[in-house]
Amino acid sequence: MPAKPHMKRAATRMWAGAAGLATVGALVAAMPADAHDRGHHPKPDRTVDVQLLSFNDLHGNLEPPAGSAGAVTERQADGTTKSVPAGGMEYLASSLRTARQGHPYSITAAGGDMIGASPLLSGLFHDEPTIEALNKLKLDVTAVGNHEFDEGATELARMQNGGCHPTEGCYEKGKKFRGADFPYLAANVTNEKTGKPILKPYTVWQKNGVKIGFIGVTLEGTPNVVTAAGVKGLKFADEIETINKYAKELDRQGVKSIVALIHEGGMPSSNAYNDSCDSQGPGSGISGPIVDIAKGVTPKVDALITGHTHQAYVCTVPDPAGNPRMVTSAASFGKLYTDTTLTYDRRTNDIVRTAVKPQQLPKSANHIVSRDQPKAADMTQLIARWGKLAAPIANRPQGYISADINGRGSEALEKPLGDLIADAQLAGLSAPDKGGAQIALMNPGGIRSDLVHKASGSEGDGVVTYGEAFTVQPFTNMMNVVDLTGAQLITALQQQVSGPNAADPKILQVSKGLTYMLDMTKSGAARVVVDTVKLNGAAIDPAKTYRVAMNEFLAGGGDGFPALVGTNKLVGASDLDVFDAYLAANSSASAPMAPPVSGRITVVK
């Protein structure tokens, strides 16, 4: 109300008038230096710096990620770049604990996908180890990401509230899983029947009168990137509309400082984590969905912590009122963390971020989680404890390779590990009684790591353990074989580069025998040169029916591939079982498997 500031000014004038401004000033000047402290509490500074530490897309990586998945690109002073090993919960904990020192107001927040698609050490135990580690890390709040729904809303609720697994029970004698000490926020995820959020939409962090609200959302397109079973009965609303709705609600409650945790992201123009996003102007170095979201989210929100794309960026994207606002992401797997300073104004209860006071604009930077620092002892103990439980399964030799076979770490559209996985699926499902598959297709996002030749433990170089294979294929998706016409198959290939995948192509990994040309100089569906699509040298016949193997996620139309929803479905073994069987049957210590030779997809750039 307008009367409130007027009343405050009148009260100040009344106090000064009691002795006269000059008299009061003289009295204050004449008092001993500590007289104020003896008789009065000093008035707090109008502004206080709040440290906001953030990260995203941890995906249960408690141990340092292997190979290229465990490195970040760093720009050097001379303009060159180098790859720096990073990540691992022992080091992330040390980094954050060191960063918090000297900051009485410090908050640690995350942008979703803390769990799901996790390596075996966490995934084998339904991610209970990761939640336990995040509790020890003193995480204050996180948004849900799409992978928090891999096992459905009921399992996500267990992650929040605790309790032992409904079928596997408790993993350690005498210990019951207590759930997350921090709130999972899911503002835009509602129960279809009740219309209510399945978890808290927001939370308010408070200390000594400082109040900062956090709203958490996942991408509206979550159903397109999660199995149908994982999102059954749920509705995912627009990110902008949801954030703006709850920002108003927080504002009405007197919470003027607000941070949005958004599990959606963008693509920076540089892959070096320390390159400027704003070198050509605010937000000039980023593209993708988060840009439109940032431009649409109400000015009531003071910072956006993002994720999902596994990229590193610290950008300034002006809000709808034209004021600068930070939009950040810290890559993935705990390799980076973001340190943002928010200047909190005690008079307005808001974050200072207008151009009038540039010295008080939020400052933010990404920092490497270096492996050259001491490990956090409590995390080392946690990893050892769960590792002992997992060891009998995790360390079992599964196959042998002669060199690195890159998947996640490959920047090629046709990835060596993608070829290997597709070949494994074709081999496992080609027999008539297994589905009669003639072609296999693998979604690139389902390849979660690389197969690394160097030993990760005591197994020896070139040995692929069950745990390493699990890290590559952690979803335990069941394999499907379906009937698709040649026309449907060609349409599916076109959907890689059109429709929802036009801006960010998702190139399917294909089994041996299927070849075609991808002309990236063209746009949309035209990028697939239709008359080059062949199977074993013969042109695909649009009218003919083909048996196609794929995981259940793709078979349900996931990742923007509705053309892959076929008929005459046969459900086979899990993707991991098929992969493991192929490794065992096609490699040995004396004859290790070599990386597949590319050439199935001819790319024109």
Side-chain angles (χ1 to χ4, degrees), residues 398 466 473 476-478 573-582:
Q398 201 64 49
Y466 180 86
Q473 293 258 264
T476 318
N477 275 321
M478 303 310 292
S574 75
D575 52 5
L576 179 60
D577 286 345
V578 168
F579 185 49
D580 283 341
Y582 188 79

Side-chain angles (χ1 to χ4, degrees), residues 70-427:
V72 294
T73 300
E74 182 178 62
R75 180 78 59 190
Q76 305 301 296
D78 62 0
T80 62
T81 60
K82 75 173 184 178
S83 182
V84 182
M89 185 56 75
E90 295 159 300
Y91 302 110
L92 179 60
S94 290
S95 291
L96 294 179
R97 288 165 183 171
T98 299
R100 289 172 187 150
Q101 293 175 11
H103 295 275
Y105 295 86
S106 183
I107 310 168
T108 304
D113 275 6
M114 295 294 98
I115 59 174
S118 304
L120 184 135
L121 180 63
S122 185
L124 186 64
F125 305 106
H126 298 275
D127 281 313
E128 289 183 21
T130 295
I131 298 297
E132 182 182 340
L134 292 171
N135 288 343
K136 290 180 180 293
L137 194 69
K138 302 299 181 185
L139 181 64
D140 289 299
V141 59
T142 185
V144 295
N146 54 289
H147 281 286
E148 262 82 18
F149 294 93
D150 284 348
E151 296 190 50
T154 300
E155 178 65 3
L156 174 56
R158 188 178 77 88
M159 292 292 101
Q160 178 70 87
N161 302 318
C164 295
H165 193 271
T167 58
E168 297 180 20
C170 300
Y171 295 111
E172 296 178 287
K173 187 176 181 179
K175 288 187 179 180
K176 181 180 179 182
F177 176 58
R178 77 169 192 248
D181 293 342
F182 51 89
Y184 257 115
L185 304 182
N188 68 330
V189 187
T190 55
N191 183 297
E192 282 184 341
K193 293 181 179 179
T194 66
K196 295 180 179 180
I198 62 167
L199 294 169
K200 292 175 64 173
Y202 60 82
T203 190
V204 179
W205 181 93
Q206 300 185 61
K207 183 176 181 179
N208 296 336
V210 174
K211 296 188 295 184
I212 299 181
F214 289 85
I215 303 168
V217 299
T218 186
L219 67 154
E220 183 182 8
T222 290
N224 297 326
V225 292
V226 175
T227 57
V231 295
K232 185 177 181 181
L234 303 179
K235 183 177 180 180
F236 293 79
D238 179 83
E239 303 96 334
I240 298 173
E241 292 177 3
T242 302
I243 293 168
N244 291 352
K245 169 188 172 182
Y246 286 110
K248 284 183 180 179
E249 188 169 316
L250 283 167
D251 185 69
R252 287 195 299 267
Q253 296 173 15
V255 179
K256 306 297 182 182
S257 299
I258 302 171
V259 175
L261 307 174
I262 307 172
H263 192 70
E264 178 60 289
M267 298 299 294
S269 55
S270 168
N271 65 352
Y273 84 93
N274 56 337
D275 275 351
S276 172
C277 182
D278 301 331
S279 59
Q280 303 299 315
S284 59
I286 189 171
S287 60
I290 198 61
V291 177
D292 289 336
I293 292 173
K295 290 178 178 178
V297 166
T298 173
K300 294 180 188 297
V301 174
D302 298 295
L304 278 59
I305 305 301
T306 73
H308 187 55
T309 58
H310 290 206
Q311 301 300 309
Y313 48 82
V314 174
C315 302
T316 307
V317 180
D319 68 20
N323 290 323
R325 183 164 61 187
M326 299 307 304
V327 179
T328 68
S329 174
S332 62
F333 302 167
K335 294 179 290 188
L336 298 174
Y337 71 92
T338 313
D339 190 338
T340 303
T341 300
L342 302 175
T343 300
Y344 184 92
D345 188 325
R346 291 183 181 275
R347 185 175 297 175
T348 64
N349 296 324
D350 207 348
I351 301 301
V352 180
R353 58 181 183 88
T354 65
V356 177
K357 295 184 178 180
Q359 75 278 9
Q360 291 182 338
L361 290 177
K363 298 177 181 64
S364 187
N366 276 327
H367 301 276
I368 292 181
V369 175
S370 170
R371 297 182 193 169
D372 292 332
Q373 63 182 313
K375 298 178 179 180
D378 57 340
M379 296 300 176
T380 301
Q381 292 168 2
L382 181 149
I383 290 169
R385 197 180 90 240
W386 287 102
K388 185 176 180 180
L389 292 175
I393 298 173
N395 297 335
R396 187 176 70 211
Q398 201 64 49
Y400 301 84
I401 56 176
S402 62
D404 289 354
I405 304 180
N406 288 333
R408 201 75 175 182
S410 171
E411 295 184 0
L413 297 181
E414 179 187 342
K415 304 178 187 303
L417 190 49
D419 286 352
L420 173 57
I421 291 172
D423 288 349
Q425 294 176 351
L426 179 63

Side-chain angles (χ1 to χ4, degrees), residues 461-530:
D461 291 349
V463 179
V464 179
T465 65
Y466 180 86
E468 290 166 340
F470 184 100
T471 298
V472 169
Q473 293 258 264
F475 297 107
T476 318
N477 275 321
M478 303 310 292
M479 292 302 303
N480 289 186
V481 185
V482 299
D483 283 350
L484 293 179
T485 65
Q488 284 177 295
L489 180 61
I490 290 170
T491 298
L493 295 178
Q494 292 171 329
Q495 286 171 347
Q496 300 175 112
V497 289
S498 62
N501 294 329
D504 184 18
K506 293 184 174 66
I507 306 304
L508 296 167
Q509 306 299 288
V510 301
S511 56
K512 57 186 177 183
L514 183 65
T515 57
Y516 70 98
M517 179 179 290
L518 194 61
D519 187 349
M520 298 303 285
T521 66
K522 298 180 180 178
S523 62
R527 287 174 163 175
V528 175
V529 183
V530 173

Side-chain angles (χ1 to χ4, degrees), residues 29-44:
M31 290 173 67
D34 62 343
H36 268 88
D37 296 333
R38 291 200 302 266
H40 303 279
H41 293 292
K43 188 176 181 180

